[in-house]
Amino acid sequence: MEIKVTVNGIEFIADLLNNKTAEEFTKMLPLSFEMEELNGNEKCRYLSKKLPAESETVGRIEEGDIMLFGASCLVLFYKSFDTTYSYTRIGKIRNTEGLEKAAGKWDAAVSFKVM
């Protein structure tokens, strides 16, 4: 499934995975909120409800990854890096050109909508 992800007014297209987490996330859409800056590489936001989680040690985060930390923390990554943390994959932004600039250095206004 395709969704539109808007970060501080800049639109991106993301593909969601075919898993229970992405399916339940989609049922919550549309969502619009401020996502908190974290670690200089991601934006995060605790959701109002828990989603089914199947966490795995992903090893490497890629720019544009949309993941779930725990059962309710939605994370949008705007930089690539190696990690030892576990996440449940939800989806990925297709073309990440301009994503880091759109995300900025502070909290960001982000929306997720079904196309």
Side-chain angles (χ1 to χ4, degrees):
M1 171 177 279
E2 292 179 342
I3 63 169
K4 182 177 3 176
V5 180
T6 305
V7 181
N8 286 329
I10 308 297
E11 294 181 357
F12 300 90
I13 303 301
D15 294 306
L16 296 185
L17 297 175
N18 185 18
N19 65 27
K20 196 70 170 163
T21 308
E23 181 182 318
E24 291 301 313
F25 177 68
T26 303
K27 290 177 183 177
M28 297 176 70
L29 302 183
L31 289 172
S32 293
F33 39 56
E34 287 287 315
M35 293 187 79
E36 182 181 338
E37 168 60 33
L38 188 63
N39 300 321
N41 56 27
E42 65 194 81
K43 305 295 185 196
C44 64
R45 169 76 180 222
Y46 281 92
L47 300 171
S48 59
K49 74 175 211 174
K50 292 182 178 181
L51 298 176
E54 294 183 24
S55 294
E56 62 178 297
T57 304
V58 296
R60 178 138 180 99
I61 300 289
E62 296 295 334
E63 180 182 16
D65 282 344
I66 302 167
M67 298 195 193
L68 186 68
F69 181 73
S72 63
C73 187
L74 180 66
V75 186
L76 171 61
F77 293 94
Y78 60 87
K79 285 188 181 178
S80 300
F81 62 96
D82 294 326
T83 184
T84 58
Y85 286 99
S86 295
Y87 297 91
T88 302
R89 296 180 186 275
I90 295 175
K92 182 168 181 61
I93 291 176
R94 286 184 193 164
N95 181 352
T96 59
E97 184 177 337
L99 178 59
E100 183 177 354
K101 183 177 180 182
K105 296 181 180 182
W106 313 110
D107 295 354
V110 181
S111 67
F112 299 86
K113 296 178 183 173
V114 175
M115 296 186 58

